[in-house]
Amino acid sequence: MTAAVLWAEADRCIIRRMATLSGAVTGTRTRWRALVLAGALGWSCLQTAGLVAQPGVQYDVLIRDGQVFDGTGTPPVTTSIAVRDGRIVAVGALPNARATTVIDATGRYVTPGFVDVHSHAGEGLSGALNHGQPVLAQGITTVVVNPDGGGPVDIAGQRATYEKRGIGPNAALFVPHGSIRREVLGMADRAPTAAELDRMLALTRAGMKAGAVGLSSGPYYAPGSYAKTDELIALAKVAAEVGGVYSSHIRDESDYTIGLVAAVEEVITVAEKGGLTGIVTHMKALGTGTWGASAEAVKRIEAARARGVSVLADQYPYEASGTSITGALVPRWAQVLGDDAMIRRAKGDERPRLLADVKTNIARRGGPATLMIARFAPDPSLEGQNLDQIAKLWNKSPEEAALDLLVQGGASLVSFNMTDNDIDHIMKQSWTMTSTDGGLGPMGVGKPHPRGYGAFPRKLRLYVRERRVVDWPFAIRSMTSLPATVFGLKDRGVIREGAWADIVVINPAEVADKATYTDPHQLSVGIDTIIVNGKIARLAGKFAPALSGRVLTIER
Ligand SMILES: [Zn+2]
């Protein structure tokens, strides 16, 4: 590097540190203190930049000469990063630095570790899959679990399990509205009594107190769908008391009930009246009748933000969603009072009415050929086949075949129902974060949606490198500083001195998803070095056995 480059780096370093310390230099002796501080900072910045000799410093990890994206959306700077005791302690040329592990990042992108704001890995992380390799291989160093209103009611217990057994990536936890409602009201389609609402509020408060980062809801699914907006606002207010957010699988992403735009408006209402940030999670326009409606939905969010309501979205970069026969095709009236009641309806007098509704829902999602069976435990040979093929195999109508699958235990589905126009438009918004919506299951079982293995690298490969829908700094910000700020994950999602050392090293030419719809159990490639809380989680493609993840709580 030339001297001019090093001086510029020393300048940046001084400005950065002065900004961090500006709060410390107030009062009558401001000028004296500022001068003293500037002198001290200046000298250490000259050392960091390598303009004056630095005593040989020993670090845990040193990442040399990478193109460093700080996560805030600015272009990369070629520099080095030193890590000690879990934190980034120096960013600069660092010519005299020594470290236990030295990583040559020449020609690589170095970014903050990614934050997945909608992850179904929660259950996998509490068991034998706690290392989370398919998650880490995507560059994800933090997952936010219990989305869609689902997951355990006992947040303290979930946290204790993670802390006792250890987890590969960091985890932040939602309090799930749907599970709380089921705990208190079962699968009843009615409003809670005052006493029942009090119990729901108490469970929400207990979860937030145990360290949750917000409330998740799924008013699309039963029993969340039996809740009116005022119930969601009441629980959201409890999350707001401690700075939590509200993330919702909205009531309708399509044209099932109230429609996409009204469902987005419901999130805005909860955010506004609840006094907290609202997130339209895995935002999409689902089904032929709703294609193009992302334009109006985006406008509504923009209008809310313009009047000061904090509303954002997240998105996974696929044209197919993943759900179950029940979630996608069975109407909510048929789920009242639970699974046994639903099966009775599917076999009894209400079968004709149910068949008619299932037929409508198959058409709404694009027809039977767009619905692929992901997991069907009673007969795995059907996995990977679509509903049209199964109907022909069984010599039945698609709606009859769907109800047969349901009666035999239900199946999970991959549902092809989105268009590039809507996906691109949502991705380009400055308030859209990145998510997987992926689970963490045993490798080789079923044909799960590939997003659990590939969502983040897919966005970098297909939407950044190949199609150029968004650029690198913008995409990386949507995966790092934006979610960290929204969720109150202090000193995360950024590369700067003092931040936690969650760092990934990316090969920009090779980063890619390998998981496909028909062959989903494939780890992503191109992110071979991953650091979680200052510890190596993966080095040169080899996973370390360490479980360095922590449960992250709100710190603003
Ligand atoms: Zn969802």
PDB file of all heavy atoms in Angstrom, residues 118 120 148 221 249 253 281-282 437, ligand 1:
ATOM      1  N   HIS A 118     -35.991 -14.825  10.054  1.00  0.00           N
ATOM      2  CA  HIS A 118     -37.148 -15.737  10.077  1.00  0.00           C
ATOM      3  C   HIS A 118     -36.616 -17.148   9.872  1.00  0.00           C
ATOM      4  O   HIS A 118     -36.430 -17.609   8.739  1.00  0.00           O
ATOM      5  CB  HIS A 118     -38.158 -15.374   8.982  1.00  0.00           C
ATOM      6  CG  HIS A 118     -39.415 -16.204   9.007  1.00  0.00           C
ATOM      7  ND1 HIS A 118     -40.671 -15.646   8.958  1.00  0.00           N
ATOM      8  CD2 HIS A 118     -39.622 -17.547   9.055  1.00  0.00           C
ATOM      9  CE1 HIS A 118     -41.584 -16.609   8.992  1.00  0.00           C
ATOM     10  NE2 HIS A 118     -40.968 -17.780   9.040  1.00  0.00           N
ATOM     11  N   HIS A 120     -36.732 -21.343  10.973  1.00  0.00           N
ATOM     12  CA  HIS A 120     -37.409 -22.469  11.627  1.00  0.00           C
ATOM     13  C   HIS A 120     -36.378 -23.472  12.175  1.00  0.00           C
ATOM     14  O   HIS A 120     -36.704 -24.639  12.374  1.00  0.00           O
ATOM     15  CB  HIS A 120     -38.364 -23.148  10.652  1.00  0.00           C
ATOM     16  CG  HIS A 120     -39.578 -22.320  10.345  1.00  0.00           C
ATOM     17  ND1 HIS A 120     -40.643 -22.231  11.206  1.00  0.00           N
ATOM     18  CD2 HIS A 120     -39.868 -21.504   9.297  1.00  0.00           C
ATOM     19  CE1 HIS A 120     -41.555 -21.407  10.690  1.00  0.00           C
ATOM     20  NE2 HIS A 120     -41.106 -20.956   9.535  1.00  0.00           N
ATOM     21  N   ASP A 148     -43.740 -16.909  12.805  1.00  0.00           N
ATOM     22  CA  ASP A 148     -45.097 -17.306  12.378  1.00  0.00           C
ATOM     23  C   ASP A 148     -46.040 -17.562  13.546  1.00  0.00           C
ATOM     24  O   ASP A 148     -47.100 -18.167  13.369  1.00  0.00           O
ATOM     25  CB  ASP A 148     -45.074 -18.594  11.525  1.00  0.00           C
ATOM     26  CG  ASP A 148     -44.292 -18.433  10.236  1.00  0.00           C
ATOM     27  OD1 ASP A 148     -44.281 -17.317   9.693  1.00  0.00           O
ATOM     28  OD2 ASP A 148     -43.702 -19.423   9.767  1.00  0.00           O
ATOM     29  N   TYR A 221     -52.489 -18.708   9.874  1.00  0.00           N
ATOM     30  CA  TYR A 221     -52.650 -20.088  10.329  1.00  0.00           C
ATOM     31  C   TYR A 221     -53.616 -20.181  11.506  1.00  0.00           C
ATOM     32  O   TYR A 221     -53.734 -19.255  12.299  1.00  0.00           O
ATOM     33  CB  TYR A 221     -51.302 -20.645  10.803  1.00  0.00           C
ATOM     34  CG  TYR A 221     -50.262 -20.793   9.702  1.00  0.00           C
ATOM     35  CD1 TYR A 221     -49.172 -19.938   9.643  1.00  0.00           C
ATOM     36  CD2 TYR A 221     -50.391 -21.789   8.746  1.00  0.00           C
ATOM     37  CE1 TYR A 221     -48.219 -20.081   8.638  1.00  0.00           C
ATOM     38  CE2 TYR A 221     -49.443 -21.934   7.744  1.00  0.00           C
ATOM     39  CZ  TYR A 221     -48.356 -21.076   7.693  1.00  0.00           C
ATOM     40  OH  TYR A 221     -47.426 -21.224   6.708  1.00  0.00           O
ATOM     41  N   HIS A 249     -46.412 -13.365  10.018  1.00  0.00           N
ATOM     42  CA  HIS A 249     -46.847 -14.041   8.779  1.00  0.00           C
ATOM     43  C   HIS A 249     -48.276 -13.556   8.585  1.00  0.00           C
ATOM     44  O   HIS A 249     -49.179 -13.991   9.289  1.00  0.00           O
ATOM     45  CB  HIS A 249     -46.786 -15.561   8.930  1.00  0.00           C
ATOM     46  CG  HIS A 249     -47.268 -16.289   7.702  1.00  0.00           C
ATOM     47  ND1 HIS A 249     -46.672 -17.434   7.246  1.00  0.00           N
ATOM     48  CD2 HIS A 249     -48.273 -16.035   6.836  1.00  0.00           C
ATOM     49  CE1 HIS A 249     -47.295 -17.855   6.145  1.00  0.00           C
ATOM     50  NE2 HIS A 249     -48.288 -17.019   5.892  1.00  0.00           N
ATOM     51  N   GLU A 253     -51.559 -13.508   2.324  1.00  0.00           N
ATOM     52  CA  GLU A 253     -50.527 -13.106   1.354  1.00  0.00           C
ATOM     53  C   GLU A 253     -51.080 -13.198  -0.062  1.00  0.00           C
ATOM     54  O   GLU A 253     -50.360 -12.996  -1.031  1.00  0.00           O
ATOM     55  CB  GLU A 253     -49.306 -14.027   1.478  1.00  0.00           C
ATOM     56  CG  GLU A 253     -48.617 -13.961   2.825  1.00  0.00           C
ATOM     57  CD  GLU A 253     -47.442 -14.937   2.948  1.00  0.00           C
ATOM     58  OE1 GLU A 253     -47.571 -16.074   2.454  1.00  0.00           O
ATOM     59  OE2 GLU A 253     -46.423 -14.555   3.541  1.00  0.00           O
ATOM     60  N   THR A 281     -43.275 -10.356   7.549  1.00  0.00           N
ATOM     61  CA  THR A 281     -42.224 -11.350   7.342  1.00  0.00           C
ATOM     62  C   THR A 281     -42.450 -12.135   6.046  1.00  0.00           C
ATOM     63  O   THR A 281     -43.581 -12.222   5.559  1.00  0.00           O
ATOM     64  CB  THR A 281     -42.102 -12.287   8.573  1.00  0.00           C
ATOM     65  OG1 THR A 281     -40.834 -12.939   8.522  1.00  0.00           O
ATOM     66  CG2 THR A 281     -43.203 -13.335   8.629  1.00  0.00           C
ATOM     67  N   HIS A 282     -41.378 -12.655   5.486  1.00  0.00           N
ATOM     68  CA  HIS A 282     -41.345 -13.296   4.161  1.00  0.00           C
ATOM     69  C   HIS A 282     -42.399 -12.694   3.232  1.00  0.00           C
ATOM     70  O   HIS A 282     -43.273 -13.369   2.701  1.00  0.00           O
ATOM     71  CB  HIS A 282     -41.422 -14.821   4.233  1.00  0.00           C
ATOM     72  CG  HIS A 282     -42.558 -15.413   5.010  1.00  0.00           C
ATOM     73  ND1 HIS A 282     -43.853 -14.997   4.879  1.00  0.00           N
ATOM     74  CD2 HIS A 282     -42.581 -16.407   5.926  1.00  0.00           C
ATOM     75  CE1 HIS A 282     -44.615 -15.720   5.672  1.00  0.00           C
ATOM     76  NE2 HIS A 282     -43.870 -16.569   6.329  1.00  0.00           N
ATOM     77  N   ASP A 437     -36.652 -18.581   6.187  1.00  0.00           N
ATOM     78  CA  ASP A 437     -37.890 -19.318   6.447  1.00  0.00           C
ATOM     79  C   ASP A 437     -37.593 -20.822   6.453  1.00  0.00           C
ATOM     80  O   ASP A 437     -38.481 -21.641   6.335  1.00  0.00           O
ATOM     81  CB  ASP A 437     -38.965 -18.981   5.415  1.00  0.00           C
ATOM     82  CG  ASP A 437     -40.369 -19.358   5.880  1.00  0.00           C
ATOM     83  OD1 ASP A 437     -40.525 -19.789   7.044  1.00  0.00           O
ATOM     84  OD2 ASP A 437     -41.311 -19.238   5.072  1.00  0.00           O
TER      85      ASP A 437
HETATM   86 ZN    ZN B   1     -44.448 -18.100   7.587  1.00  0.00          ZN
END
